[in-house]
Amino acid sequence: MNKYIEKAERTHKLTEDELVSLLQNPSSSGELAISADRVRAKYVGSGIHLRGLIEFSNICRQNCLYCGLRRDNPKIERYRLSEAEILELAKKAKSYGYKTVVLQSGEDIYFSVKVLTNLLYKIKEMDLAITLSLGERSLDEYRAFKQAGADRYLLRIETTDKNLYEQLDPGMSFENRKSCLWNLKELGYEVGTGCLIGLPGQTLHSLAQDILFFQQLDADMIGIGPLIPNMDTPLAFAAKGDFDLTKKMVSLLRLLLPEANIPATTAMETLKADARVIILQAGANVVMPNVTEGDYRRKYALYPGKICVADTPAQCRCCIGGKIKSIGRYVAQDKGFRSHISTRSY
């Protein structure tokens, strides 16, 4: 076994240079996946947690260069679901057997504390865990959402390279992004973050620094995916993110954060068929099937080539269930909160 992979599996620690060595080694991918799969089995087991994704608004006040929802994209068809529509989707998610709903949107400030807390109280009455992914809000807003029943918050940092972050996210503050993550941690959320693989100007060292930042944060969830250039953004002609590099990142995240919940993200299947199955065998333990219905799926156009936009939520549930069974795993029946098996300080 590669000495760095052996060290990572045994101690859950690597230096930046050791991480870079593994990321740049063309022959490390298979061994990393096998090692990460062992760590996944030991720390989070063979159950795969399904989380029903509700994309309730594609309106966004931010202008990130890589994102199809960006404020200055005039071609996207904007929409915003009503409270009644969101609640109906949450009820359906529960009927499909999901224990968690993920409420995701652009940074749509129509969804104020008053609007959202009212919604959260009603969803909580359904005995569902709630993950929010709404972007940057104030400490007081995060506190109000937590008090109303939100359990988790997903806020991807996308890159921990400050200069690159501020180039790609004009008008946004890297320090504020980090402060939001630490605020969420302080309030007792399970905190999710993550990065994009293949951003223009990104280096292997910056990816290694991303992993070390996630470890420093002790992130409870880490979602990563490849850059899929959107023709309606300034990065229209950027190269796509590399699937093998994305897979290595998932494996390294599992090795260094053994208890974290790590999804096999949908964007990966834009690059490779059955990518989610491959990633589930390389360290991941979560899948987030889409429960948004109808044409809203198409309109939530973060990137082109999004899979399953014509499928119904019931079809998605059946499909992913079959894929999970095909690799000898099973759908977990609990709400999927992070386990705390290890007392190791990493």
Side-chain angles (χ1 to χ4, degrees):
M1 182 187 292
N2 179 291
K3 64 181 180 180
Y4 296 148
I5 297 176
E6 186 278 331
K7 176 185 175 183
E9 184 170 347
R10 178 172 48 85
T11 70
H12 309 301
K13 293 180 181 179
L14 289 174
T15 67
E16 181 179 327
D17 286 342
E18 289 166 345
L19 286 165
V20 169
S21 175
L22 291 170
L23 288 170
Q24 69 186 7
N25 183 343
S27 63
S28 67
S29 181
E31 197 175 347
L32 272 171
I34 292 168
S35 180
D37 203 44
R38 280 196 296 266
V39 170
R40 183 272 310 157
K42 177 180 178 181
Y43 284 92
V44 297
S46 294
I48 294 172
H49 295 283
L50 301 183
R51 296 176 177 170
L53 176 64
I54 301 173
E55 297 165 332
F56 65 89
S57 172
N58 68 354
I59 296 167
C60 191
R61 62 180 172 176
Q62 304 292 8
N63 217 19
C64 305
L65 302 191
Y66 46 79
C67 182
L69 306 193
R70 67 192 308 265
R71 183 185 69 233
D72 289 352
N73 179 4
K75 296 183 180 179
I76 191 168
E77 300 171 59
R78 302 289 180 179
Y79 74 90
R80 176 188 289 142
L81 299 189
S82 68
E83 178 185 295
E85 287 174 308
I86 297 168
L87 289 173
E88 183 61 24
L89 291 175
K91 288 177 188 175
K92 289 183 177 180
K94 186 175 176 67
S95 76
Y96 301 136
Y98 298 125
K99 309 297 182 183
T100 296
V101 289
V102 181
L103 302 181
Q104 184 175 76
S105 71
E107 290 201 17
D108 183 352
I109 56 176
Y110 166 82
F111 288 95
S112 63
V113 166
K114 182 178 180 181
V115 172
L116 277 166
T117 53
N118 186 52
L119 187 64
L120 293 171
Y121 283 124
K122 291 177 180 177
I123 293 175
K124 208 63 183 176
E125 290 174 355
M126 302 178 198
D127 189 29
L128 289 165
I130 302 173
T131 300
L132 297 179
S133 181
L134 316 173
E136 295 182 3
R137 298 288 185 120
S138 70
L139 176 64
D140 287 342
E141 287 175 297
Y142 288 147
R143 181 181 291 110
F145 301 153
K146 186 77 173 65
Q147 291 171 346
D151 301 289
R152 309 181 180 105
Y153 203 103
L154 176 58
L155 184 69
R156 294 198 353 178
I157 198 164
E158 306 301 9
T159 178
T160 55
D161 180 323
K162 182 178 187 293
N163 289 334
L164 185 58
Y165 179 94
E166 293 185 346
Q167 288 171 27
L168 296 173
D169 302 284
M172 298 178 69
S173 161
F174 178 70
E175 295 304 325
N176 187 62
R177 194 72 161 191
K178 288 199 299 183
S179 293
C180 285
L181 288 166
W182 288 111
N183 285 342
L184 291 162
K185 197 82 175 174
E186 179 185 326
L187 290 168
Y189 283 91
E190 281 200 346
V191 178
T193 187
C195 58
L196 270 172
I197 311 300
L199 291 168
Q202 187 180 60
T203 66
L204 295 182
H205 277 278
S206 66
L207 288 174
Q209 289 162 11
D210 292 345
I211 295 173
L212 295 174
F213 172 77
F214 302 151
Q215 197 173 43
Q216 179 189 15
L217 181 67
D218 193 18
D220 302 294
M221 308 177 287
I222 307 140
I224 67 168
L227 174 70
I228 310 295
N230 188 316
M231 292 306 293
D232 298 330
T233 70
L235 297 191
F237 300 105
K240 290 181 179 179
D242 180 77
F243 177 77
D244 193 58
L245 183 58
T246 305
K247 179 186 168 192
K248 285 182 183 179
M249 284 288 291
V250 168
S251 296
L252 286 167
L253 287 165
R254 173 59 65 203
L255 290 170
L256 268 64
L257 291 100
E259 301 164 346
N261 284 311
I262 302 175
T265 58
T266 306
M268 296 179 189
E269 291 204 1
T270 305
L271 295 182
K272 192 176 186 71
D274 283 331
R276 285 181 293 180
V277 167
I278 294 168
I279 297 299
L280 286 169
Q281 295 174 301
N285 70 314
V286 172
V287 179
M288 297 196 294
N290 200 334
V291 298
T292 317
E293 293 182 342
D295 206 32
Y296 296 129
R297 286 178 177 235
R298 177 186 62 82
K299 292 178 180 179
Y300 201 84
L302 295 170
Y303 55 86
K306 188 177 179 182
I307 66 166
C308 305
V309 291
D311 291 354
T312 66
Q315 287 171 327
C316 287
R317 174 62 182 85
C318 182
C319 174
I320 197 62
K323 289 182 177 183
I324 288 168
K325 188 175 180 181
S326 75
I327 58 173
R329 305 269 284 280
Y330 63 91
V331 175
Q333 294 303 305
D334 61 288
K335 291 177 180 172
F337 291 105
R338 174 185 170 180
S339 60
H340 289 276
I341 298 170
S342 174
T343 57
R344 181 182 291 107
S345 176
Y346 54 79

